[in-house]
Amino acid sequence: MSRHQSYPFFDLKRADVPDDLCPVATELNPMLPGDWRSMRPVVDRDKCVKCAVCWLYCPVQCVVEHAAWFDFNLATCKGCGICAHECPQRAITMIEEAQ
């Protein structure tokens, strides 16, 4: 079989394959990581010394800089807790997201 020839079980244009086979993938879903987060970071502003370790380790770069501390963009924060684990000042705690 050539590289460009498709296998029959991947051919979704066949008549016997329903259009709603995979409804999740039929429409664009603008979901952000913050939509499914169960824990969120909270900064103790008195402890934060702006060392930027949380900023360096954040896998989604949701850390936002303020004048004297760092905070988080909760729309993109996925709640992984890496920032809290890596903070040398223990200024970040993870709390359960309110339902």
Side-chain angles (χ1 to χ4, degrees):
M1 210 173 241
S2 74
R3 187 176 126 184
H4 298 288
Q5 193 173 14
S6 65
Y7 291 98
F9 51 85
F10 286 121
D11 188 9
L12 297 179
K13 303 290 183 209
R14 291 186 350 207
D16 60 335
V17 178
D19 291 337
D20 61 349
L21 178 66
C22 183
V24 175
T26 57
E27 295 179 18
L28 181 61
N29 186 354
M31 183 177 271
L32 293 171
D35 295 337
W36 50 264
R37 178 184 60 244
S38 62
M39 301 289 283
R40 68 180 171 95
V42 176
V43 178
D44 182 343
R45 295 177 184 177
D46 295 329
K47 290 183 180 179
C48 182
V49 295
K50 271 187 90 171
C51 64
V53 171
C54 57
W55 180 84
L56 288 170
Y57 280 92
C58 180
V60 293
Q61 291 299 294
C62 69
V63 181
V64 179
E65 184 178 8
H66 291 285
W69 73 91
F70 283 105
D71 208 352
F72 301 93
N73 177 354
L74 295 179
T76 56
C77 174
K78 63 182 184 174
C80 64
I82 293 174
C83 56
H85 183 264
E86 296 297 330
C87 180
Q89 302 297 318
R90 299 292 172 236
I92 305 168
T93 55
M94 299 300 290
I95 63 167
E96 191 172 346
E97 190 70 73
Q99 296 296 332

